Amino acid sequence: MKAQIFGLLVAALATPSLAGGNHAGGHGEALAVGEPGKQANATQTIQVTMKETDDGKMIFTPSTFKVRKGQTVRFAIKNAGELDHEFVLDQEDKIMEHKAVMEKFPEMEHDDPNAIRLAAGESGEIIWKFTNDGAFKIACLVPGHYDAGMHGDVTVANK
């Protein structure tokens, strides 16, 4: 089923990065933002909450992070909202590409190491090693959530 959805995705969008199997970085290609890390190497745990607000916004708390190149971070993620939410970590262009795909295929399932989808009340984690410096994004790509404010920034510095 996943292969069929991916095939439809490639045919529908026909972009070079998707045709190369680079959708959300989950198909064996290196991600600019880094790589899955090992729990034993994590030097920091960042607690992240995902939720909706009374005024209709959707947020990550915190929504900005600063880490060091080479650092392994454990993101402990809690969905404190009433809806499903995602935590996706990637380059901004890849986030926007993934967002467009999710709008066309909202039920698409992922198994990417840089993303986690949690139902209301669930918790999970991503352990990530930041191998490159630069500016990256976090986002919830459930249709409508990014536009409701559910995104943030990750800055990876050399030191």
Side-chain angles (χ1 to χ4, degrees):
M1 181 74 170
K2 287 182 185 180
Q4 291 170 329
I5 291 173
F6 184 71
L8 288 171
L9 194 68
V10 170
L13 297 180
T15 63
S17 61
L18 283 175
N22 206 16
H23 169 67
H27 301 283
E29 305 233 354
L31 293 169
V33 70
E35 62 192 33
K38 294 181 178 153
Q39 175 93 22
N41 296 336
T43 59
Q44 180 179 8
T45 296
I46 299 175
Q47 304 280 339
V48 181
T49 302
M50 307 184 293
K51 67 179 183 177
E52 312 85 46
T53 63
D54 291 338
D55 61 358
K57 292 186 178 169
M58 298 188 188
I59 60 172
F60 290 108
T61 304
S63 63
T64 59
F65 311 96
K66 292 184 180 173
V67 297
R68 293 179 319 279
K69 179 179 176 183
Q71 183 178 10
T72 300
V73 173
R74 176 181 168 259
F75 290 99
I77 306 158
K78 168 87 174 151
N79 182 351
E82 297 178 10
L83 304 170
D84 285 6
H85 291 295
E86 291 183 334
F87 178 98
V88 181
L89 173 67
D90 213 336
Q91 293 170 259
E92 185 169 12
D93 63 334
K94 298 295 181 192
I95 292 280
M96 298 315 288
E97 180 181 283
H98 190 164
K99 179 180 177 286
V101 170
M102 287 294 294
E103 288 168 353
K104 291 182 187 220
F105 303 98
E107 299 304 316
M108 187 172 77
E109 294 183 18
H110 314 79
D111 188 20
D112 299 320
N114 61 318
I116 189 169
R117 185 173 183 140
L118 298 171
E122 287 187 340
S123 296
E125 68 180 25
I126 292 177
I127 300 172
W128 200 256
K129 181 177 181 182
F130 292 91
T131 57
N132 297 305
D133 58 344
F136 301 98
K137 297 289 284 183
I138 59 165
C140 178
L141 300 177
V142 173
H145 294 203
Y146 185 97
D147 297 327
M150 201 160 203
H151 51 87
D153 299 303
V154 179
T155 302
V156 183
N158 267 326
K159 299 201 180 215

